[in-house]
Amino acid sequence: EKWSLRWYYLAFLPFLSLKTGCTMLFADIVGFTEMSALLDPTELVAIINGLFSKFDDLVEEHGLNKVKTIGDCYFASSIPGDPNHSESCRQVCLFALDMMDSLAEFNNSNHNRFHLKLRVGINTGPVVAGVVGRKRYLFDYGAML
């Protein structure tokens, strides 16, 4: 067991990185599972794509980092280790407000027959990031400390 633990640290520590300042945002669509049962899969993907494409534009406007999407969840962050952490934290908060405005515009468009709501969570502090798993490598955030 001692050997396997040593192998793990030798194999994975080079890919892990501790960043002292990072602000993360998770946003998901409220009632998405219920809505998905009512829609054709093509229509569902079109709705998500339309909304998340707007969020992608906002990420760039605020100088943030889109981490990934997971179903109806949009995950973004400030740039880890940014020396101006308080400003990047502010940008994440402004991004969240702009997401809400963008969602309101999306709801008012003729293309959407559902009134979507967004649940947003934000956390800030040190973070561990790195490559996770052994297949289909993905750089991911492991934990906020």
Side-chain angles (χ1 to χ4, degrees):
E1 185 171 23
K2 189 175 184 180
W3 174 252
S4 63
L5 186 60
R6 182 170 183 244
W7 176 85
Y8 177 81
Y9 283 116
L10 289 174
F12 291 103
L13 277 181
F15 300 106
L16 297 177
S17 175
L18 172 65
K19 301 295 183 181
T20 56
C22 186
T23 302
M24 290 194 218
L25 174 144
F26 289 93
D28 74 314
I29 298 170
V30 176
F32 178 80
T33 303
E34 294 81 4
M35 184 179 75
S36 65
L38 303 172
L39 292 173
D40 174 82
T42 306
E43 187 179 6
L44 185 66
V45 171
I47 289 172
I48 295 293
N49 183 56
L51 184 59
F52 285 6
S53 292
K54 292 176 182 291
F55 294 168
D56 288 347
D57 293 340
L58 292 173
V59 161
E60 286 190 31
E61 286 177 29
H62 288 280
L64 302 174
N65 176 40
K66 175 182 177 180
V67 178
K68 61 183 169 183
T69 58
I70 310 161
D72 69 317
C73 180
Y74 195 93
F75 180 17
S77 75
S78 63
I79 306 303
D82 185 347
N84 192 358
H85 179 64
S86 60
E87 176 57 25
S88 61
C89 180
R90 181 179 169 277
Q91 286 303 315
V92 171
C93 294
L94 292 173
F95 169 62
L97 294 172
D98 285 349
M99 288 175 86
M100 297 297 196
D101 290 343
S102 184
L103 181 68
E105 290 173 16
F106 188 79
N107 281 332
N108 291 330
S109 74
N110 294 331
H111 308 294
N112 183 27
R113 63 182 187 188
F114 293 93
H115 182 79
L116 303 179
K117 294 180 182 176
L118 204 59
R119 179 178 21 241
V120 178
I122 298 173
N123 196 359
T124 191
V127 66
V128 174
V131 176
V132 196
R134 288 186 264 165
K135 294 189 181 219
R136 300 186 90 193
Y137 298 110
L138 174 69
F139 187 81
D140 203 354
Y141 292 103
M144 296 273 319
L145 302 175

